[in-house]
Every structure is written in structure tokens, then in C-alpha cells.
Amino acid sequence: MKRFVFSKNSSFQKLSILKTQLVIAVLFPGDMGTQIAKALVHHHFKVITAGEGRSARTLDNIRNSGITDTYCLQDTVEQADVILSLTSPEGSLKMAEQMISCLKTTPNRPLYVDLNSNTPDIALSMEKLFSAIDVPFVNGAVMGASKDVPDHAVVVVSGIYRHLFINLFASVFKIKDAGEKTEAASAYKLLFSMVNKGMNALFFETMTAAAHFGILDELNESLQEFLPGTYQDLIKTTPTYPQHIMRRIDEMKGLADMLKSEGLPHIIASGTAETFERVSLSRIFENESPEGVIETLQNFKK
């Protein structure tokens, strides 16, 4: 089999020509991971994952997306040329530690790409872990919803090995090069998120008050009339909050922590996280799957 050696100053160096297809491990194929896997399969990459212990929904995604299930994590790590971590910000470090344990028992040294929108501190911690065992690490984040992959979502990557990812997948995804600083992709995603998530927090707080005063429909009508472009922008994000609000809370807390650690203002980031927590605790989004902005905001009448 052909394997690859990674170098800070070069891309892949092919050691033999027996292998004709790169093996990409996607851990794991949830909503985002499945769309990324489908795009890779479409471009003739072999995509593998470890289905052991995963949910019924994830197993369905594996079966229906052209992904090969190696079943166990160790086998996945041993076969992969590239590992894409797509878990969650709060689970990414644990996943990295699991990878380290698996990699210590194999000579394989795949490119490890974390796409979990981590805080800069966590990204740097992971880089340190992988560097200690000579595994090249790329920090990354996906800008956009899973449904936007691959045509509209943007993959932001940073670190000294980022060019390896860019060279391999430039024909598959839209990619933004955030530079050599490992933590740069994290800062990029979090700061971008502060704008669109801050806007949703503003509307959520406004609608909470409007519902209290019994004027939610009237206010919505006026806001749509005077701010049509804003409502058009909200179409892309607001209906996703019932399903993903816990992740949004984690992201905004991570942003607030990043800003605090750098001695920067963090009032809006902290307030956005607090607003989302209040909405989550109210349970108004429980069992809801709205299709539009107005339908989502109607939940504030509860």
C-alpha cells in the first residue's frame, strides 16, 4: 500500500504507487459529517468511519452515504490517510485523546484535521498532543449549515500543515486559509459567529419582551417591513436553533472565554450565551422543527 510522509515544508511525498485512492476517516457522520462524507465520496475518495457504539441514526447515515464502516476506532485509525474530526466543541479534546491512544499502537501517521470550531486554547492543546507523537495537525471550522456543504459552506483552516488539507480538498470544498497560527481558524469562526448569533440573540430577547406585552405579531410585521434584508439573513440560521441551541451556547461561551483571556471586551458574547441559555431553559423549542423565521419566532408566545 502507498503511505504518505508529512513535512512542514512539503505536501505528500508518495512512497509507492500501489494505492490509488486516499482513505479519509470521518469521525463521525452526524449531520455535518455525513454531508462532508458524501462530498468526498462524490470526488472518489474512500471514506471510512467507526460505527461501534454509535446511534441508530448515525448507523443509518453510514449505510446511506457510501461510507465504509470499519466498526472499531483502532481499525479506522490504522487505515486512514486523513482523519476529519466532526464531533462537537465540547467533545473534540476527548476525541483527540482517544486518537492519541490508538495512534500509539500503530506506525500510521495520518493528517489529523479538527473541524469542531474549538476555542483557540483547545486547538493549541490538541496541536501539542499530536505534535508529541509526530502527527500533523490542522485546526479548522465549518462556516455554514450542513445543508450548505459543499457548495456554499466554507471550511476555514489554519496551522503549519494547512496546505496539506488545502491541496487535497480544494476541488471538493470552499476553503479559507486563515494562516500559520494554529488558533487562527478558531478565532475566525468564533468572531464570525458573534455577528450572526448575536443577531439571533437580539431577536430572541426582543420577541420574549414582545410576547410579554402581547405584540409579537405586530412587531414582527413592522420589523419585516422596515428590515427586510435582516429577515432574509435570518432565514439561514434562525430555524436551526431548536435543534442546535446547546451547541450555540457552547460556542458563545467559548467566544466569551477567548475574549476574556485576551483582555478584550466580551459583553455581547457573554450576553448572547446567557440569552440562549434562557431560551433553552424555557423549553419553548422542545420538539419543534420550524421551517422559517416567523414560525421559529412564534414559539416565543408559549
Side-chain angles (χ1 to χ4, degrees):
M1 287 180 65
K2 177 179 72 178
R3 304 307 293 174
F4 297 96
V5 167
F6 296 95
S7 163
K8 292 182 182 179
N9 301 313
S10 67
S11 58
F12 293 119
Q13 296 178 343
K14 299 178 181 180
L15 301 183
S16 82
I17 58 172
L18 297 178
K19 188 175 179 183
T20 60
Q21 190 180 40
L22 279 178
V23 177
I24 315 299
V26 173
L27 303 172
F28 289 97
D31 291 340
M32 183 65 75
T34 297
Q35 292 307 113
I36 285 175
K38 285 180 178 179
L40 291 167
V41 169
H42 180 73
H43 283 78
H44 310 296
F45 291 94
K46 180 178 180 179
V47 179
I48 64 174
T49 195
E52 183 180 18
R54 309 313 298 178
S55 68
R57 182 180 178 185
T58 298
L59 294 176
D60 283 342
N61 288 342
I62 294 170
R63 285 190 289 268
N64 298 327
S65 304
I67 302 170
T68 299
D69 188 357
T70 67
Y71 191 65
C72 84
L73 205 54
Q74 184 66 44
D75 287 346
T76 301
V77 170
E78 291 178 2
Q79 293 179 38
D81 296 303
V82 179
I83 297 174
L84 304 181
S85 174
L86 290 143
T87 53
S88 64
E90 62 273 16
S92 59
L93 189 55
K94 182 179 179 182
M95 172 58 67
E97 290 167 346
Q98 286 182 281
M99 292 296 99
I100 297 294
S101 296
C102 293
L103 287 162
K104 284 181 177 178
T105 64
T106 176
N108 189 30
R109 289 296 177 262
L111 176 67
Y112 189 88
V113 184
D114 188 283
L115 296 174
N116 292 305
S117 303
N118 291 300
T119 63
D121 284 346
I122 290 179
L124 290 170
S125 295
M126 285 195 289
E127 181 185 45
K128 187 175 181 180
L129 286 173
F130 286 107
S131 178
I133 59 168
D134 296 321
V135 171
F137 173 78
V138 175
N139 183 35
V142 181
M143 312 281 291
S146 57
K147 64 181 178 59
D148 296 326
V149 176
D151 296 327
H152 302 293
V154 176
V155 181
V156 184
V157 291
S158 61
I160 59 175
Y161 293 106
R162 71 197 184 284
H163 65 283
L164 299 175
F165 180 91
I166 294 169
N167 291 345
L168 276 175
F169 302 122
S171 63
V172 183
F173 308 112
K174 289 186 174 182
I175 301 175
K176 174 75 72 174
D177 183 347
E180 278 195 5
K181 280 188 162 184
T182 299
E183 66 272 30
S186 298
Y188 189 109
K189 172 65 185 287
L190 289 171
L191 291 170
F192 186 95
S193 295
M194 183 161 65
V195 177
N196 67 57
K197 293 178 177 62
M199 183 64 71
N200 275 285
L202 174 63
F203 268 75
F204 289 175
E205 190 162 300
T206 299
M207 293 305 150
T208 300
H212 174 79
F213 289 107
I215 55 170
L216 187 145
D217 291 332
E218 292 78 5
L219 185 61
N220 248 326
E221 185 179 331
S222 293
L223 287 170
Q224 279 186 284
E225 180 181 352
F226 286 98
L227 300 171
T230 300
Y231 270 76
Q232 189 65 33
D233 290 338
L234 291 173
I235 287 173
K236 303 172 187 176
T237 57
T238 304
T240 69
Y241 274 78
Q243 184 178 0
H244 297 299
I245 195 162
M246 296 308 297
R247 179 163 188 157
R248 305 295 182 253
I249 293 168
D250 289 335
E251 288 173 347
M252 289 299 97
K253 284 183 174 180
L255 173 58
D257 289 343
M258 178 188 81
L259 295 174
K260 287 177 191 176
S261 69
E262 296 293 329
L264 295 168
H266 54 86
I267 295 171
I268 293 174
S270 298
T272 298
E274 182 180 345
T275 297
F276 290 164
E277 283 188 311
R278 287 179 180 274
V279 172
S280 178
L281 289 171
S282 73
R283 303 177 74 176
I284 61 170
F285 285 157
E286 198 169 76
N287 300 319
E288 296 291 341
S289 301
E291 295 183 359
V293 177
I294 300 302
E295 186 180 347
T296 306
L297 297 179
Q298 287 293 317
N299 286 289
F300 286 87
K301 288 183 174 180
K302 295 179 180 177

Coordinates of all heavy atoms in Angstrom, one line a residue, residues 168-241:
L168 N -5.3 18.9 -0.9 CA -6.1 17.7 -1.1 C -7.5 18.0 -1.5 O -8.1 17.3 -2.3 CB -6.0 16.8 0.1 CG -4.9 15.9 0.3 CD1 -5.0 15.2 1.7 CD2 -4.8 14.8 -0.7
F169 N -8.1 19.0 -0.8 CA -9.6 19.1 -0.9 C -10.1 20.4 -1.5 O -11.2 20.7 -1.5 CB -10.1 19.0 0.5 CG -9.8 17.7 1.2 CD1 -9.1 17.7 2.4 CD2 -10.1 16.5 0.6 CE1 -8.7 16.5 3.0 CE2 -9.8 15.3 1.2 CZ -9.1 15.3 2.4
A170 N -9.2 21.1 -2.2 CA -9.6 22.4 -2.8 C -10.6 22.2 -3.9 O -11.5 23.1 -4.2 CB -8.4 23.1 -3.4
S171 N -10.7 21.0 -4.5 CA -11.6 20.7 -5.6 C -13.0 20.2 -5.0 O -14.0 20.1 -5.7 CB -11.1 19.7 -6.5 OG -10.9 18.4 -5.9
V172 N -13.0 19.9 -3.7 CA -14.2 19.4 -3.0 C -15.0 20.5 -2.3 O -16.2 20.6 -2.4 CB -13.8 18.3 -2.1 CG1 -15.1 17.6 -1.4 CG2 -13.0 17.2 -2.8
F173 N -14.2 21.3 -1.5 CA -14.9 22.3 -0.6 C -14.4 23.7 -0.9 O -13.3 23.9 -1.5 CB -14.5 22.0 0.8 CG -14.8 20.6 1.3 CD1 -13.8 19.7 1.6 CD2 -16.1 20.1 1.4 CE1 -14.0 18.4 2.0 CE2 -16.4 18.8 1.8 CZ -15.3 17.9 2.1
K174 N -15.2 24.7 -0.5 CA -14.7 26.0 -0.5 C -13.9 26.2 0.8 O -14.3 25.9 1.9 CB -15.9 27.0 -0.4 CG -16.7 27.1 -1.7 CD -17.7 28.2 -1.6 CE -18.4 28.3 -3.0 NZ -19.4 29.4 -2.9
I175 N -12.6 26.6 0.6 CA -11.7 26.7 1.7 C -11.1 28.1 1.9 O -10.8 28.8 1.0 CB -10.5 25.7 1.5 CG1 -11.1 24.3 1.3 CG2 -9.5 25.7 2.7 CD1 -10.0 23.2 1.0
K176 N -11.1 28.5 3.2 CA -10.5 29.8 3.6 C -9.2 29.5 4.4 O -9.2 28.8 5.4 CB -11.5 30.6 4.4 CG -10.9 31.9 5.0 CD -10.8 33.0 4.0 CE -12.1 33.5 3.6 NZ -12.0 34.7 2.7
D177 N -8.1 30.0 3.9 CA -6.8 29.9 4.5 C -6.7 31.0 5.6 O -6.5 32.1 5.2 CB -5.7 30.0 3.5 CG -4.3 29.7 4.1 OD1 -4.1 29.7 5.3 OD2 -3.3 29.6 3.3
A178 N -6.7 30.6 6.9 CA -6.6 31.5 8.0 C -5.1 31.8 8.4 O -4.9 32.5 9.4 CB -7.4 31.1 9.1
G179 N -4.2 31.1 7.8 CA -2.8 31.4 8.1 C -2.1 30.4 9.0 O -2.7 29.3 9.3
E180 N -0.8 30.7 9.3 CA 0.0 29.7 10.1 C -0.3 29.5 11.5 O -0.1 28.5 12.1 CB 1.5 30.1 10.0 CG 2.1 29.7 8.7 CD 3.7 29.8 8.7 OE1 4.2 30.1 9.8 OE2 4.3 29.6 7.7
K181 N -0.9 30.5 12.2 CA -1.2 30.4 13.6 C -2.3 29.3 13.8 O -3.4 29.5 13.3 CB -1.7 31.7 14.1 CG -0.6 32.7 14.5 CD -1.2 33.9 15.2 CE -0.2 34.8 15.9 NZ -0.8 35.8 16.7
T182 N -2.0 28.3 14.6 CA -2.9 27.2 14.7 C -4.3 27.7 15.2 O -5.3 27.2 14.8 CB -2.3 26.2 15.7 OG1 -1.1 25.7 15.2 CG2 -3.3 25.1 16.0
E183 N -4.3 28.7 16.1 CA -5.5 29.1 16.7 C -6.4 30.0 15.9 O -7.5 30.4 16.2 CB -5.3 29.8 18.1 CG -4.5 31.1 18.0 CD -3.0 31.0 18.0 OE1 -2.5 29.9 17.5 OE2 -2.3 31.9 18.5
A184 N -5.8 30.5 14.7 CA -6.5 31.5 13.9 C -7.9 31.0 13.4 O -8.8 31.8 13.3 CB -5.6 31.9 12.7
A185 N -8.0 29.8 12.9 CA -9.3 29.3 12.4 C -10.4 29.4 13.5 O -11.5 29.7 13.3 CB -9.2 27.9 11.9
S186 N -10.0 29.0 14.8 CA -10.9 29.1 15.9 C -11.4 30.5 16.1 O -12.6 30.8 16.3 CB -10.2 28.6 17.1 OG -9.9 27.2 17.0
A187 N -10.4 31.5 16.1 CA -10.8 32.9 16.3 C -11.7 33.4 15.2 O -12.7 34.1 15.4 CB -9.5 33.7 16.5
Y188 N -11.4 33.0 14.0 CA -12.1 33.4 12.8 C -13.6 33.0 12.9 O -14.5 33.8 12.8 CB -11.5 32.8 11.6 CG -12.0 33.3 10.2 CD1 -11.3 34.1 9.4 CD2 -13.3 32.9 9.8 CE1 -11.7 34.5 8.2 CE2 -13.8 33.3 8.6 CZ -13.0 34.1 7.8 OH -13.5 34.5 6.6
K189 N -13.8 31.7 13.2 CA -15.2 31.2 13.3 C -15.9 31.8 14.5 O -17.1 32.2 14.3 CB -15.1 29.6 13.5 CG -16.5 29.0 13.8 CD -17.4 29.1 12.6 CE -18.8 28.5 12.9 NZ -18.9 27.1 13.0
L190 N -15.3 31.9 15.6 CA -16.0 32.4 16.8 C -16.4 33.9 16.6 O -17.5 34.3 17.0 CB -15.1 32.3 18.0 CG -14.9 30.8 18.5 CD1 -13.9 30.8 19.6 CD2 -16.3 30.3 19.0
L191 N -15.5 34.7 16.0 CA -15.8 36.1 15.8 C -16.8 36.3 14.7 O -17.7 37.1 14.8 CB -14.5 36.8 15.4 CG -13.5 37.0 16.6 CD1 -12.2 37.5 16.1 CD2 -14.0 37.9 17.7
F192 N -16.8 35.4 13.7 CA -17.9 35.5 12.7 C -19.2 35.1 13.3 O -20.2 35.7 13.1 CB -17.5 34.5 11.6 CG -18.5 34.6 10.4 CD1 -18.2 35.3 9.3 CD2 -19.7 33.8 10.4 CE1 -19.1 35.4 8.2 CE2 -20.6 33.9 9.4 CZ -20.3 34.7 8.2
S193 N -19.1 34.1 14.2 CA -20.4 33.6 14.9 C -21.0 34.7 15.8 O -22.2 34.8 15.9 CB -20.1 32.4 15.7 OG -19.7 31.3 14.9
M194 N -20.1 35.6 16.3 CA -20.6 36.6 17.2 C -21.6 37.5 16.5 O -22.6 38.0 17.1 CB -19.5 37.4 17.8 CG -20.0 38.5 18.8 SD -18.8 39.1 20.0 CE -17.6 39.9 18.8
V195 N -21.4 37.7 15.2 CA -22.3 38.6 14.4 C -23.6 37.9 14.2 O -24.7 38.5 14.5 CB -21.6 39.0 13.1 CG1 -22.5 39.8 12.2 CG2 -20.3 39.8 13.4
N196 N -23.6 36.7 13.6 CA -24.9 36.1 13.2 C -25.6 35.6 14.4 O -26.9 35.7 14.5 CB -24.7 35.0 12.1 CG -24.0 33.8 12.5 OD1 -24.3 33.2 13.5 ND2 -22.9 33.5 11.8
K197 N -24.9 35.1 15.4 CA -25.6 34.6 16.6 C -26.0 35.7 17.5 O -27.0 35.6 18.2 CB -24.7 33.6 17.4 CG -24.4 32.3 16.6 CD -23.5 31.3 17.3 CE -23.4 30.0 16.5 NZ -22.8 30.2 15.2
G198 N -25.2 36.8 17.5 CA -25.6 38.0 18.3 C -26.9 38.6 17.7 O -27.8 39.0 18.5
M199 N -27.1 38.5 16.4 CA -28.3 39.0 15.8 C -29.5 38.1 16.2 O -30.6 38.6 16.5 CB -28.2 39.0 14.3 CG -29.4 39.5 13.5 SD -29.6 41.3 13.8 CE -28.2 42.0 13.0
N200 N -29.3 36.8 16.2 CA -30.4 35.9 16.7 C -30.7 36.2 18.2 O -31.9 36.2 18.5 CB -30.0 34.5 16.4 CG -30.4 34.0 15.0 OD1 -31.5 33.8 14.7 ND2 -29.3 33.9 14.2
A201 N -29.7 36.4 19.0 CA -29.9 36.7 20.4 C -30.7 37.9 20.6 O -31.6 38.0 21.4 CB -28.6 36.7 21.1
L202 N -30.4 39.0 19.7 CA -31.1 40.2 19.8 C -32.6 40.0 19.5 O -33.5 40.5 20.2 CB -30.5 41.2 18.8 CG -31.2 42.5 18.6 CD1 -31.3 43.3 19.9 CD2 -30.5 43.3 17.5
F203 N -32.9 39.2 18.5 CA -34.3 38.9 18.1 C -35.0 38.1 19.1 O -36.2 38.3 19.5 CB -34.3 38.3 16.7 CG -34.5 39.2 15.6 CD1 -33.4 40.0 15.2 CD2 -35.7 39.4 14.9 CE1 -33.5 40.9 14.1 CE2 -35.9 40.3 13.9 CZ -34.8 41.1 13.5
F204 N -34.3 37.1 19.7 CA -34.9 36.3 20.7 C -35.3 37.1 22.0 O -36.4 36.9 22.5 CB -33.9 35.1 21.2 CG -33.7 34.1 20.1 CD1 -32.8 33.1 20.3 CD2 -34.5 34.1 18.9 CE1 -32.6 32.1 19.4 CE2 -34.3 33.1 18.0 CZ -33.3 32.1 18.2
E205 N -34.4 38.0 22.4 CA -34.7 38.8 23.5 C -35.8 39.8 23.2 O -36.7 40.0 24.1 CB -33.5 39.6 24.0 CG -33.6 40.3 25.3 CD -32.3 40.7 26.0 OE1 -31.5 39.8 26.2 OE2 -32.1 41.9 26.2
T206 N -35.8 40.3 22.0 CA -36.9 41.2 21.6 C -38.2 40.5 21.6 O -39.3 41.0 22.0 CB -36.6 41.8 20.2 OG1 -35.3 42.5 20.2 CG2 -37.7 42.7 19.7
M207 N -38.3 39.3 21.0 CA -39.5 38.5 20.9 C -40.0 38.1 22.3 O -41.2 38.0 22.5 CB -39.4 37.3 20.0 CG -39.1 37.7 18.5 SD -40.4 38.9 17.9 CE -39.5 39.8 16.7
T208 N -39.1 37.8 23.2 CA -39.5 37.5 24.6 C -40.3 38.6 25.2 O -41.4 38.5 25.8 CB -38.3 37.2 25.4 OG1 -37.6 36.1 24.9 CG2 -38.7 36.9 26.9
A209 N -39.8 39.9 25.0 CA -40.5 41.0 25.5 C -41.7 41.3 24.8 O -42.8 41.7 25.4 CB -39.5 42.2 25.5
A210 N -41.7 41.1 23.4 CA -42.9 41.4 22.6 C -44.0 40.5 23.0 O -45.2 40.9 23.1 CB -42.6 41.3 21.1
A211 N -43.7 39.2 23.3 CA -44.7 38.2 23.7 C -45.3 38.6 25.0 O -46.5 38.5 25.3 CB -44.1 36.8 23.7
H212 N -44.4 39.1 25.9 CA -44.9 39.5 27.3 C -45.9 40.6 27.2 O -46.9 40.7 27.9 CB -43.7 40.0 28.1 CG -44.0 40.6 29.4 ND1 -44.3 39.9 30.5 CD2 -44.1 41.9 29.8 CE1 -44.6 40.7 31.5 NE2 -44.5 41.9 31.1
F213 N -45.7 41.6 26.2 CA -46.6 42.7 26.1 C -47.7 42.4 25.1 O -48.6 43.3 24.8 CB -45.8 43.9 25.6 CG -45.0 44.5 26.7 CD1 -43.6 44.4 26.7 CD2 -45.5 45.2 27.8 CE1 -42.8 44.9 27.7 CE2 -44.8 45.7 28.8 CZ -43.4 45.6 28.8
G214 N -47.8 41.2 24.5 CA -48.9 40.8 23.6 C -48.8 41.5 22.2 O -49.8 41.6 21.6
I215 N -47.6 41.8 21.8 CA -47.4 42.5 20.5 C -46.5 41.8 19.6 O -45.9 42.4 18.7 CB -47.0 43.9 20.7 CG1 -45.7 44.0 21.5 CG2 -48.1 44.8 21.4 CD1 -45.0 45.4 21.6
L216 N -46.3 40.5 19.7 CA -45.3 39.8 19.0 C -45.6 39.8 17.5 O -44.7 40.1 16.6 CB -45.2 38.3 19.4 CG -44.0 37.5 18.8 CD1 -43.4 36.5 19.8 CD2 -44.5 36.7 17.6
D217 N -46.8 39.5 17.1 CA -47.2 39.5 15.6 C -47.1 40.9 15.0 O -46.5 41.1 13.9 CB -48.6 39.0 15.5 CG -48.7 37.5 15.8 OD1 -47.7 36.8 15.6 OD2 -49.8 37.1 16.2
E218 N -47.5 41.9 15.8 CA -47.5 43.3 15.3 C -46.0 43.7 15.1 O -45.7 44.4 14.1 CB -48.2 44.2 16.2 CG -49.7 44.0 16.3 CD -50.2 42.8 17.1 OE1 -49.2 42.2 17.8 OE2 -51.3 42.4 17.1
L219 N -45.2 43.4 16.1 CA -43.8 43.8 16.0 C -43.1 43.1 14.9 O -42.3 43.7 14.1 CB -43.1 43.6 17.3 CG -41.6 44.1 17.4 CD1 -41.6 45.6 17.2 CD2 -41.0 43.7 18.7
N220 N -43.3 41.8 14.7 CA -42.7 41.1 13.6 C -43.1 41.7 12.3 O -42.3 41.8 11.4 CB -43.2 39.6 13.7 CG -42.1 38.7 14.0 OD1 -41.0 38.9 13.7 ND2 -42.5 37.6 14.7
E221 N -44.3 42.1 12.1 CA -44.8 42.6 10.9 C -44.1 43.9 10.6 O -43.6 44.2 9.4 CB -46.3 42.9 11.0 CG -46.9 43.4 9.7 CD -48.4 43.6 9.8 OE1 -49.1 42.9 10.6 OE2 -49.0 44.5 9.1
S222 N -43.9 44.8 11.6 CA -43.2 46.1 11.4 C -41.7 45.8 11.1 O -41.2 46.5 10.2 CB -43.4 46.9 12.6 OG -44.7 47.3 12.8
L223 N -41.1 44.9 11.8 CA -39.7 44.7 11.6 C -39.4 44.1 10.2 O -38.4 44.5 9.6 CB -39.2 43.7 12.7 CG -39.0 44.3 14.1 CD1 -38.7 43.1 15.1 CD2 -37.9 45.3 14.1
Q224 N -40.3 43.2 9.7 CA -40.2 42.7 8.4 C -40.3 43.8 7.3 O -39.6 43.8 6.4 CB -41.3 41.7 8.1 CG -40.9 40.3 8.6 CD -42.0 39.3 8.2 OE1 -43.1 39.2 8.7 NE2 -41.6 38.5 7.2
E225 N -41.2 44.8 7.6 CA -41.4 45.9 6.7 C -40.2 46.8 6.6 O -39.8 47.2 5.5 CB -42.6 46.6 7.1 CG -42.9 47.8 6.1 CD -44.2 48.6 6.6 OE1 -44.9 48.2 7.5 OE2 -44.4 49.7 6.0
F226 N -39.6 47.1 7.8 CA -38.5 48.1 7.8 C -37.1 47.4 7.7 O -36.2 48.1 7.4 CB -38.6 48.9 9.1 CG -39.7 49.9 9.1 CD1 -40.9 49.6 9.7 CD2 -39.6 51.1 8.5 CE1 -42.0 50.5 9.7 CE2 -40.6 52.0 8.5 CZ -41.8 51.7 9.1
L227 N -37.0 46.1 8.0 CA -35.7 45.4 7.9 C -35.8 44.1 7.1 O -35.5 43.1 7.6 CB -35.3 45.1 9.4 CG -35.1 46.2 10.3 CD1 -34.8 45.7 11.7 CD2 -33.9 47.1 9.9
P228 N -36.3 44.3 5.8 CA -36.4 43.0 5.0 C -35.1 42.3 4.8 O -35.1 41.0 4.8 CB -37.0 43.6 3.7 CG -36.6 45.0 3.6 CD -36.6 45.5 5.1
G229 N -34.0 43.0 4.7 CA -32.8 42.3 4.4 C -32.3 41.5 5.6 O -31.7 40.4 5.5
T230 N -32.6 42.0 6.8 CA -32.2 41.3 8.1 C -33.0 40.0 8.2 O -32.5 39.0 8.5 CB -32.5 42.2 9.3 OG1 -31.7 43.4 9.2 CG2 -32.2 41.5 10.6
Y231 N -34.3 40.1 7.9 CA -35.1 38.8 7.9 C -34.6 37.8 6.9 O -34.7 36.6 7.1 CB -36.6 39.2 7.7 CG -37.3 39.4 9.0 CD1 -37.1 40.7 9.7 CD2 -38.1 38.5 9.6 CE1 -37.8 40.9 10.9 CE2 -38.8 38.7 10.8 CZ -38.6 40.0 11.5 OH -39.2 40.2 12.7
Q232 N -34.2 38.3 5.8 CA -33.7 37.4 4.7 C -32.4 36.7 5.2 O -32.2 35.5 5.0 CB -33.4 38.2 3.5 CG -33.0 37.4 2.3 CD -34.2 36.5 1.8 OE1 -35.3 36.9 1.9 NE2 -33.8 35.3 1.3
D233 N -31.6 37.5 6.0 CA -30.4 36.9 6.5 C -30.7 35.8 7.6 O -30.0 34.8 7.7 CB -29.5 37.9 7.2 CG -28.8 38.8 6.1 OD1 -28.7 38.4 4.9 OD2 -28.4 40.0 6.4
L234 N -31.7 36.1 8.4 CA -32.1 35.2 9.5 C -32.6 33.9 9.0 O -32.6 32.9 9.7 CB -33.2 35.9 10.4 CG -32.7 37.0 11.2 CD1 -33.9 37.7 11.9 CD2 -31.7 36.6 12.2
I235 N -33.1 33.8 7.7 CA -33.6 32.6 7.1 C -32.6 31.5 7.2 O -32.9 30.3 7.4 CB -34.1 32.8 5.7 CG1 -35.4 33.7 5.6 CG2 -34.3 31.5 4.9 CD1 -35.8 34.1 4.2
K236 N -31.3 31.8 7.1 CA -30.3 30.9 7.0 C -30.0 30.2 8.4 O -29.4 29.1 8.5 CB -29.0 31.5 6.5 CG -29.1 32.1 5.1 CD -27.9 32.9 4.7 CE -28.0 33.7 3.5 NZ -26.8 34.5 3.1
T237 N -30.3 30.9 9.5 CA -29.8 30.5 10.8 C -30.9 30.2 11.8 O -30.9 29.2 12.5 CB -28.8 31.5 11.4 OG1 -29.5 32.8 11.5 CG2 -27.6 31.6 10.5
T238 N -31.9 31.1 11.9 CA -32.9 31.1 13.0 C -33.6 29.8 13.1 O -33.8 29.2 14.2 CB -33.9 32.3 12.8 OG1 -33.1 33.5 12.8 CG2 -34.8 32.3 14.0
P239 N -34.1 29.2 12.0 CA -34.9 27.9 12.1 C -34.0 26.7 12.6 O -34.6 25.7 13.0 CB -35.3 27.6 10.6 CG -35.4 29.0 10.0 CD -34.2 29.7 10.6
T240 N -32.7 26.9 12.7 CA -31.8 25.8 13.1 C -31.7 25.8 14.7 O -31.2 24.8 15.2 CB -30.4 25.9 12.5 OG1 -29.7 27.0 13.1 CG2 -30.5 26.0 11.0
Y241 N -32.2 26.8 15.3 CA -31.9 26.9 16.8 C -32.6 25.9 17.6 O -32.1 25.4 18.6 CB -32.2 28.3 17.3 CG -31.0 29.2 17.1 CD1 -30.7 29.8 15.9 CD2 -30.2 29.5 18.2 CE1 -29.6 30.6 15.7 CE2 -29.1 30.3 18.0 CZ -28.8 30.8 16.7 OH -27.7 31.6 16.6

